[in-house]
């Protein structure tokens, strides 16, 4: 954990504001809660929806083959196989969704390494271990504030959560960090509009 450390790159440019800290599992859980509608990923929903009809069709085929020589009429064979197929499809869907439920939030790298964030004149510079990401101000989408943290969303990049505890007890540093983000959000929108007008 480190406090905010301003350092000027150029006299005419705003200072670079920096903060670092290691997100906890609770922080990652809040990030997931704020950015997703459920704890189930879209890939799991897709495969559950694709495999459930296959399970239903297979159950209907097997049931019909088993009842073919039992003396049941075609009506009862169709009814029984349809009911079992529907039950099998629904059961498989529910089991698949349950298996896919996210018990652990975040990736291993998000919890293992410390995250360092620099607000530079050009944008955000994010470092996590050996991985560095640079995001221009114009890619900044929203800056959401709460009593515990700041949620930053981008165009073309994963959202970022900055807990207030990373600033220690320095409330002025946290306020300056948020103010710079809002300035960057405003500047990014202006640059985007200006660029669109030139085209």
């Amino acid at each position: 954990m480190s406090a905010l450390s301003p350092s000027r790159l150029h006299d005419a440019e705003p200072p670079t504001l920096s903060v670092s800290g290691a997100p906890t599992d609770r922080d990652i859980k809040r990030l997931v809660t704020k950015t997703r509608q459920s704890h189930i990923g879209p890939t799991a929903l897709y495969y559950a929806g694709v495999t459930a009809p296959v399970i239903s069709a297979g159950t209907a085929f097997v049931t019909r083959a088993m009842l073919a020589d039992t003396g049941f009429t075609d009506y009862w064979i169709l009814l029984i196989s349809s009911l079992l197929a529907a039950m099998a499809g629904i059961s498989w869907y529910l089991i698949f969704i349950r298996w896919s439920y996210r018990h652990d939030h975040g990736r291993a790298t998000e919890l293992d390494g410390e995250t360092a964030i620099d607000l530079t004149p050009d944008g955000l510079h994010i470092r996590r271990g050996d991985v560095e990401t640079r995001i221009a101000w114009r890619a900044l989408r929203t800056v959401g504030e709460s009593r515990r943290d700041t949620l930053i969303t981008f165009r073309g990049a994963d959202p970022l959560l900055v807990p207030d505890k990373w600033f220690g007890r320095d409330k002025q540093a946290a306020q300056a960090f948020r103010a710079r983000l809002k300035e960057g959000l405003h500047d990014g929108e202006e640059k985007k509009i200006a660029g669109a007008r030139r085209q």
Side-chain angles (χ1 to χ4, degrees):
M1 184 184 300
S2 66
L4 201 64
S5 58
S7 61
R8 290 191 174 276
L9 297 178
H10 302 287
D11 294 336
E13 293 180 343
T16 296
L17 304 180
S18 302
V19 68
S20 63
T24 62
D25 185 64
R26 184 174 296 180
D27 296 330
I28 300 298
K29 184 176 181 180
R30 287 205 305 270
L31 174 62
V32 172
T33 302
K34 291 182 178 182
T35 56
R36 286 185 177 167
Q37 299 298 323
S38 68
H39 297 293
I40 301 170
T43 304
L45 290 175
Y46 171 78
Y47 281 112
V50 168
T51 55
V54 176
I55 297 295
S56 296
T59 303
F61 178 79
V62 171
T63 304
R64 183 167 185 172
M66 290 176 59
L67 297 177
D69 298 330
T70 58
F72 286 104
T73 62
D74 291 340
Y75 170 79
W76 286 107
I77 293 175
L78 179 62
L79 180 63
I80 294 172
S81 61
S82 299
L83 289 175
L84 291 178
M87 292 174 61
I90 294 172
S91 299
W92 169 251
Y93 184 84
L94 295 176
I95 292 171
F96 195 97
I97 291 297
R98 182 58 184 170
W99 283 345
S100 304
Y101 190 85
R102 292 177 179 268
H103 297 284
D104 297 324
H105 301 279
R107 304 177 181 89
T109 54
E110 292 176 332
L111 296 175
D112 293 343
E114 184 177 78
T115 300
I117 306 168
D118 298 329
L119 304 184
T120 69
D122 297 327
L124 286 82
H125 181 201
I126 305 167
R127 300 184 306 278
R128 184 180 292 121
D130 296 329
V131 178
E132 296 188 8
T133 305
R134 294 184 182 275
I135 304 175
W137 286 118
R138 64 184 305 166
L140 195 60
R141 179 180 291 171
T142 61
V143 177
E145 299 181 26
S146 69
R147 293 181 299 175
R148 300 179 183 176
D149 46 51
T150 303
L151 177 65
I152 313 167
T153 61
F154 310 95
R155 296 179 185 86
D158 293 333
L160 182 65
L161 190 75
V162 183
D164 289 348
K165 61 187 176 184
W166 288 6
F167 299 95
R169 297 183 179 179
D170 194 347
K171 294 183 179 180
Q172 292 183 350
Q175 291 175 357
F177 194 87
R178 291 180 174 184
R180 183 67 187 95
L181 283 172
K182 291 180 181 178
E183 290 177 7
L185 178 63
H186 183 67
D187 294 342
E189 289 296 329
E190 284 188 349
K191 290 178 181 178
K192 183 180 178 183
I193 294 173
R197 287 177 179 173
R198 291 193 193 99
Q199 293 177 356

